[in-house]
Amino acid sequence: MKRVLENIENQFEMFQILNEKGEVVNEDAMPDLSDEDLKEIMRRMVYTRILDQRSIALNRQGRLGFYAPTAGQEASQLGSQFALDKADFILPGYRDVPQLIWQGLPLYQAFLFSRGHFKGNQMPEGVNAVSPQIIIGAQITQAAGVGLGFKKRKEDAIAITYTGDGGASQGDFYEGINFAGAFGAQAVFVVQNNQFAISVPVDKQSAAQTIAQKAVAAGIEGIQVDGMDVLAVYAATKEARQRAVDGDGPTLIETMTYRYGPHTMAGDDPTRYRTEDMDSDWEEKDPIVRFRKFLESKDLWSEEEENKVIEQAKEEVKAAIKEADNTPKQKVTDLMENMYEEMPSNLQEQYEEYKEKESK
Amino acid sequence: MAQMTMIQAITDAMRTELKNDENVLVFGEDVGQNGGVFRATEGLQDEFGEERVFDTPLAESGIGGISIGLSLTGFRPVPEIQFFGFVYETMDAISGQMARYRYRSGNTRSMPITVRSPFGGGVHTPELHADSLEGLMAQQPGLKVVIPSNPYDAKGLLIQSIRDNDPVIFLEHMKLYRSFREEVPEEEYTIELGKAEIKREGTDVTLVAYGAMVHSCLKAAEELEKDGVSAEVIDLRTVSPVDYETILASVEKTNRAVVVQEAQKQAGIASNVVSEIQEKAILHLEAPVLRVSAPDTVYAFTQAEEVWLPNHNDIVEKVNKVVNF
């Protein structure tokens, strides 16, 4: 029995292109990206790190509501998103707001999502995504459905969805990848293994040595990727996307990553379950530091350029918060109007009552 | 016109919509080549192909999830949950997800899904096949819940449900599948959701029912007639939203009402009806509104169905209480 497990685990060695020093360790796997693409990826990572810092600060000031920190996961979130086409459909988890922003969700709407305003969830026309999923696992079965829909319509598009290491213990996680496999759905499933589900470490989720190997249970391809290496995440997602649209089935990608911040800003205190050693080990793997070194070695990045991005991010955050502040308050009648195409009799009756209240 | 059983009328409705709209997809456990465990989808895969009518893996939550995903890509899914007792497996997909999608997306996404599922007692099914769980669904904003009691309604309501752009739970009582035939037009027609039907006019008491209990009410009404009590029988047809207008008009006429359901007293939707009547028509009432329902136990073991399920005698008894109050 032991041999079976070892044989399986050997199939899931971590895929890496850049090491922690920013050196290319896997030249053959190097994705085809222009200098401008490489710089754009760096800009997005820096921007997103600043966005995280500002979001935490704004949350502490009470100017944002629900917020799940993203620092540390920039390579995992943005490397995978950068591999997508506009036609691809994102089904994010609650921590995956950055992917939505880079797919086209205006920043002020992301802030409205955080605050709890329906306008934050209204994806602009052409942004193929739904708002962040709070029920862990639900996005996985839905992604199988979107991926099946694309297959039925013979579209050159995939569904991509994200969950965390804890999420891989859900029934819907297994059902979703299994349905996608059985139907040959055009879908890519990303598990961002940031080592903790709130306070529970990944080794308490499962005896499986990798999450990527859970793909075996669905009979689909699985790959474990260095989630702090943006080039590896990009390359793995790009390939998985291609396989999906070529009719070769879905892929499960496990990105090995880390969240530097708390689980959410709702009172979670990571010092209760994480050691400083662990934090500093992972800080050495910082995806931005690593990629910066790589770009600097190619003369593609400078401090000046980075500062420009930082300033731009801060200004845009300020403007977006202002725009969120200026969004009209929600009325009960708005909520009622969004329930059905045609209001049923009970709602019609209540609508009249609230219309009356609101007119006073 | 053709003589059809309810199950044939249901098949006919799906055939009609598969023909009308290429976005309609029918899927679930054994609905493809097998034609469904009750033959509800018989012949549909042969006629429309595996792309339109297909089997799924055995996982209700996954079925709910792919219904949502297919809606997001513009399809009109008609999934089947083999028995509604299995809805617990997919409560999140239904109540936590599809019911809320239009709202949570600020009216930018819709879920034109019709979940078909058999339920109902009296046919000696094993555990968790017959449970009446419509009450759970009726409590979820964003859903409509439809329960036909006859072949004609089943076809018209199912076509309308499939065309509705919001999720509809369409519950099919197993005992009614083949218990009788009636004339059903071969052409397409629809019945508006949320509209009840008066199945029998009366002047002394209003009986509000749905599903198999409609027939028990009609039988009770016949017996009551012999004793000189004239019962008006209302078939709700849609249990969420309820057509209170029809109920209230009837109660204002009869001044007495009994609400009849197969579900346990603490379940179902009878309490909603009673509340609405007392809120809106208390001055018209000559007696309290009583309920006929099953005892508040887990659904009966097969051999205890006869003593446990509400029947026409229970209805007659309650009506007599109301009339002699």
Side-chain angles (χ1 to χ4, degrees), chain A residues 14-25 42 45 49 72 75 225-233 256-257 260 281-297:
Chain A
M14 191 169 77
F15 172 61
Q16 189 185 55
I17 294 175
L18 284 184
N19 68 12
E20 289 169 32
K21 294 178 194 145
E23 297 160 350
V24 176
V25 293
M42 184 62 182
M45 289 209 293
R49 180 66 60 87
V225 182
D226 182 347
M228 306 302 259
D229 170 4
V230 74
L231 293 180
V233 175
M256 301 299 285
T257 183
Y260 296 141
D281 279 355
W282 280 94
E283 270 155 25
E284 280 169 27
K285 297 179 203 244
D286 190 321
I288 294 180
V289 173
R290 184 186 310 196
F291 200 54
R292 186 192 290 126
K293 283 179 189 160
F294 169 74
L295 290 184
E296 282 170 353
S297 75

Side-chain angles (χ1 to χ4, degrees), chain B residues 146-149 152-162 168 170 189-195 237-238:
Chain B
V146 176
I147 304 181
S149 70
Y152 179 87
D153 284 358
K155 179 172 173 180
L157 288 168
L158 183 52
I159 292 177
Q160 185 59 41
S161 299
I162 294 172
V168 176
F170 193 87
Y189 63 93
T190 57
I191 296 171
E192 197 182 336
L193 306 188
K195 289 279 177 251
R237 303 199 288 196
T238 300

